[in-house]
Amino acid sequence: MTAAASLITSHNPADPADVLLEIAAPGAFAAAGTVERARAAQPDWLAGGAAARSAALGAVADTLDAHAAELATLAVREVGKPLTEARAEVARTAAIWRYYAQAPYEPAGAVHETATGPGLLLTRRRPHGVAGLITPWNFPFAIPSWKAAPALAAGNAVVLKPAPEATACAQRLAELVRPALPDGVFTVLPGGATEGGALVSAADVLSFTGSTAVGRAVVCDATARGVPVQAEMGGLNAAIVLPDADIGRAAAHLAAAIAGYAGQKCTATSRVIAVGAALDPLREALCEALRSVPSGDPADPATVCGPLIGRSARDQVGDAWRGLGALVGGTVPERPGWYAAPTLVEKVPAGHRLLREEVFGPLAVLLAADDLDHAVRITNSVPYGLVTSVHTAGLDAALHGLDRLDTGLIRLNAPSTGVDFHLPFGGTKASGHGPREQGRAALEFYTSSRTYTLSPAGAT
Ligand code: NAD
């Protein structure tokens, strides 16, 4: 969190007296210089060839695996991620680098027949130059990596502007990544809005993940410069539970998706929609499951719901449920650190902010729907469109509903949280803008296509 305009400070959310880092923000001028150094380094990185890029990304994956325990502990301390989840994030991060290490050998284009006469038509994908990456604090290793690895694999240089709250994680990531790469090809630019804005003004392609308000401003500024941009933003995700679902299993999935990492995931469930006769048994099972969520110290491997990232985040969660009469939770535990109890509320008045806005915390609203059509209408009624989970034993009902859900991700009999890095990832409406991230989609985003017409010399 930024303590003053020119200082970046990050605290341990479980023990705010534990300050991890306090450094001067570099400012806009230095940010522009960082982009210029990256631009100077990029042509040699591209010219070095596919084998060199592949080997470098593979070496990064090996280094991250070798430092997995240390990185997980750092994520626990800096962003309050529960240890078991932090370990999973670090393992996934190494796997992401390993997956994209194969990408430089993938076809970079296609060959086509000419419409008439001899010759060849070719397409070839080429990198943009410097990729500017602006990232949130909640996945301090995975999100920077699922942007940086495909950008580098495609031959771009990368400047990463992490969230201030996750600066120590980003700096450690850079220390581990840089030895595998030529100087200037991967740089972390610490800072906040000033440095982020400078990056938006200078990079050749921009990938943003964070809140919708900031993401939309980044999209406008990048578009005004004519620079390709993608933005993955907030969510207000629904879980639909049909009467034929295994209610106990659904409740366990929902509790994890509501309270895991204190609900601080763009894919967290914040609206639970019970269809018809599912309402009463689901209410009972979900209250029980939320009461049983292991909460507290993020360094304990059993913990599922740890602290919120900061005081204002914790206070905002408390404001959101005020006056609603929680079915379970609705309290702020008496202990050092920024905690809030896993919470379920019901009978929320129409138009309440919990039904319109993302609240990044361990709470959800229970809603009733008459039938599947009604549940789909409720799901689609919000400005966001990231992910929906559907819980049912019947494939017919699921398929009937899936077609009409206006979210970028749909998960059947699974928690709304969880991402497969080899498939496209992103949302609709206020949750996402531009091409998808991850998988092969990312390689396309970090390149542009050239069309070559090759005619034989002397051809008429
Ligand atoms: P945030 O929008 O406050 O910050 C995101 C990044 O933008 C940070 O690096 C920040 O320093 C930078 N930034 C702030 N102002 C800027 C400006 N004017 N110009 C350029 N950069 C600027 O978000 P956060 O609090 O770090 O993260 C939480 C949000 O991220 C939630 O809304 C969550 O849903 C979202 N998120 C989305 C996804 C997804 O893939 N859809 C994934 C994780 C988090």
Side-chain angles (χ1 to χ4, degrees):
M1 114 176 344
T2 311
S6 58
L7 270 190
I8 304 164
T9 309
S10 91
H11 300 265
N12 179 342
D15 176 11
D18 175 20
V19 177
L20 276 84
L21 169 146
E22 193 161 75
I23 57 171
F29 186 72
T34 301
V35 173
E36 282 318 305
R37 281 190 294 283
R39 189 166 282 121
Q42 186 266 335
D44 283 352
W45 171 241
L46 176 64
R53 293 203 298 282
S54 176
L57 269 63
V60 170
D62 292 345
T63 303
L64 295 176
D65 273 338
H67 291 81
E70 172 214 329
L71 292 172
T73 303
L74 182 58
V76 171
R77 189 171 159 219
E78 189 172 41
V79 298
K81 181 160 290 201
L83 180 58
T84 297
E85 197 160 332
R87 286 177 177 152
E89 181 183 342
V90 174
R92 177 154 60 113
T93 300
I96 288 168
W97 286 90
R98 197 161 281 121
Y99 168 75
Y100 284 111
Q102 297 308 308
Y105 290 116
E106 294 279 309
V111 180
H112 297 258
E113 297 295 335
T114 57
T116 56
L120 279 178
L121 297 176
L122 309 179
T123 60
R124 189 179 183 202
R125 302 202 69 88
R126 307 295 284 159
H128 296 290
V130 177
L133 314 180
I134 300 177
T135 54
W137 47 266
N138 62 341
F139 287 85
F141 301 120
I143 292 182
S145 295
W146 81 46
K147 296 177 189 293
L152 291 166
N156 298 279
V158 159
V159 176
L160 164 65
K161 212 297 289 163
E165 296 90 336
T167 304
C169 287
Q171 289 188 332
R172 187 65 187 130
L173 180 68
E175 284 169 8
L176 296 174
V177 168
R178 270 199 310 256
L181 301 169
D183 277 354
V185 166
F186 179 93
T187 312
V188 166
L189 169 67
T194 299
E195 290 75 14
L199 189 54
V200 174
S201 303
D204 303 314
V205 55
L206 277 151
S207 181
F208 171 91
T209 300
S211 62
T212 298
V214 176
R216 286 194 158 154
V218 166
V219 166
C220 286
D221 291 349
T223 304
R225 287 185 55 229
V227 168
V229 58
Q230 66 182 181
E232 287 307 329
M233 304 175 280
L236 189 57
N237 308 306
I240 299 175
V241 182
L242 289 149
D244 67 350
D246 177 336
I247 296 291
R249 187 164 176 262
H253 283 163
L254 294 179
I258 293 166
Y261 192 17
Q264 300 172 110
K265 300 177 191 175
C266 56
T267 52
T269 295
S270 45
R271 297 176 297 147
V272 176
I273 305 171
V275 177
L279 181 62
D280 290 339
L282 181 65
R283 183 190 297 111
E284 192 179 331
L286 185 53
C287 285
E288 186 48 40
L290 284 170
R291 253 182 234 113
S292 315
V293 167
S295 303
D297 182 2
D300 180 341
T303 294
V304 171
C305 181
L308 290 141
I309 188 68
R311 180 190 299 278
S312 64
R314 196 269 316 273
D315 292 349
Q316 193 201 332
V317 170
D319 286 348
W321 68 46
R322 185 157 300 129
L324 288 175
L327 292 171
V328 57
T331 55
V332 171
E334 287 293 324
R335 54 180 301 169
W338 294 306
Y339 290 88
T343 296
L344 186 67
V345 294
E346 199 181 7
K347 304 198 189 326
V348 174
H352 191 279
R353 65 176 284 223
L354 284 177
L355 303 177
R356 291 179 284 112
E357 296 169 20
E358 178 187 55
V359 175
F360 224 43
L363 82 159
V365 179
L366 179 61
L367 300 159
D370 302 332
D371 51 28
L372 180 59
D373 286 347
H374 188 198
V376 169
R377 282 201 303 280
I378 296 172
T379 302
N380 292 345
S381 68
V382 298
Y384 297 92
L386 188 53
V387 55
T388 311
S389 70
V390 180
H391 304 263
T392 176
L395 197 55
D396 285 0
L399 291 174
H400 179 61
L402 301 188
D403 284 348
R404 291 170 296 131
L405 290 168
D406 195 4
T407 52
L409 306 162
I410 293 154
R411 291 168 61 82
L412 190 61
N413 296 318
S416 60
T417 49
V419 172
D420 295 294
F421 60 76
H422 54 302
L423 293 179
F425 174 84
T428 64
K429 303 192 287 191
S431 294
H433 176 96
R436 294 289 188 246
E437 295 206 83
Q438 309 201 44
R440 294 190 57 78
L443 295 166
E444 295 200 1
F445 174 68
Y446 289 109
T447 52
S448 64
S449 183
R450 312 285 159 83
T451 301
Y452 298 75
T453 303
L454 309 185
S455 297
T460 54

